[in-house]
């Protein structure tokens, strides 16, 4: 089951909407996410968006297990995730990208080795519709781990690790 929602913190919807509008383009959002992940201590953070991304807009290594690091991938959207995976909507695009990120290995440019993604983070500064989250999560449940950081939950990460960005 995907993890979703804010961890108990309440933000005025206008505050989250203003946060979402701060990212003029998806490219700008990816660049700020790269900075956020570095501030969070993630390793080898790379923006991989482009023709050979294989569903992965950003990749990084982070803690997993007792004393190990794993590969994580991010599907980044600067739009609200709506609809379901059976119709031509944002949810369908996100589903296909996340599925590809889980299915297709990542070639680490430092080692040349192919590596499997442990978990995919679906990220948007806008709140995602619960029906879209449920639709994506249900279709990906057997394929791998997916976690959503949308709207207030993403805002919370910025507030904790990248406060200087929030001084907009």
């Amino acid at each position: 089951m995907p993890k979703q929602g804010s961890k108990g913190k309440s933000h005025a919807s206008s505050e989250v909407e203003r946060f979402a509008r701060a990212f003029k383009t998806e490219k700008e959002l990816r660049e700020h996410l790269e900075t956020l992940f570095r501030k969070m201590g993630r390793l080898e953070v790379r923006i991989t968006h482009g023709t050979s991304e294989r569903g992965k807009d950003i990749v990084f290594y982070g803690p997993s297990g007792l004393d190990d690091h794993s590969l994580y991938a991010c599907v980044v959207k600067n739009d609200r995730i709506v609809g379901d995976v059976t119709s031509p909507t944002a949810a369908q695009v996100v589903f296909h990208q996340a599925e590809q990120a889980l299915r297709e290995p990542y070639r680490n440019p430092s080692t040349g080795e192919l590596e499997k993604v442990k978990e995919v983070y679906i990220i948007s500064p806008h709140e995602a519709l619960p029906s879209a989250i449920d639709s994506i999560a249900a279709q990906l449940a057997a394929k791998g781990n997916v976690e959503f950081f949308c709207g207030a939950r993403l805002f919370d990460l910025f507030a904790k690790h990248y406060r200087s960005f929030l001084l907009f």
Side-chain angles (χ1 to χ4, degrees):
M1 192 64 167
K3 296 177 190 166
Q4 57 193 2
S6 182
K7 297 206 177 193
K9 295 183 181 177
S10 176
H11 302 287
S13 62
S14 61
E15 189 177 28
V16 175
E17 288 169 13
R18 191 167 62 132
F19 166 71
R21 286 192 309 268
F23 304 102
K24 301 299 180 212
T25 65
E26 199 166 286
K27 179 180 187 278
E28 184 181 333
L29 174 59
R30 286 189 302 269
E31 290 168 352
H32 284 290
L33 288 169
E34 178 184 30
T35 301
L36 171 69
F37 297 149
R38 290 184 192 285
K39 288 177 177 286
M40 292 173 66
R42 300 310 180 252
L43 305 173
E44 296 185 54
V45 180
R46 291 187 181 92
I47 295 175
T48 52
H49 176 78
T51 56
S52 61
E53 74 179 53
R54 297 182 177 178
K56 305 163 193 71
D57 290 317
I58 300 174
V59 296
F60 62 84
Y61 292 86
S64 69
L66 296 176
D67 190 25
D68 200 8
H69 282 80
S70 293
L71 176 66
Y72 297 88
C74 302
V75 173
V76 178
K77 296 296 173 204
N78 199 28
D79 297 314
R80 190 167 192 212
I81 302 170
V82 298
D84 64 50
V85 299
T86 61
S87 62
T89 62
Q92 185 183 53
V93 172
V94 169
F95 163 75
H96 286 299
Q97 199 172 344
E99 179 184 45
Q100 187 179 27
L102 288 165
R103 185 183 67 238
E104 303 270 340
Y106 169 72
R107 185 170 302 279
N108 183 320
S110 300
T111 65
E113 292 182 29
L114 288 174
E115 301 179 37
K116 184 167 175 44
V117 169
K118 178 179 178 71
E119 185 168 13
V120 172
Y121 295 106
I122 297 173
I123 299 173
S124 171
H126 303 273
E127 293 293 353
L129 288 181
S131 59
I133 290 172
D134 292 345
S135 180
I136 294 166
Q139 294 296 316
L140 291 174
K143 298 178 187 334
N145 294 328
V146 177
E147 189 166 350
F148 293 80
F149 277 87
C150 299
R153 191 161 190 221
L154 182 61
F155 181 94
D156 289 345
L157 277 181
F158 273 81
K160 183 175 181 182
H161 300 283
Y162 191 5
R163 288 197 60 80
S164 61
F165 176 80
L166 296 180
L167 300 175
F168 52 77

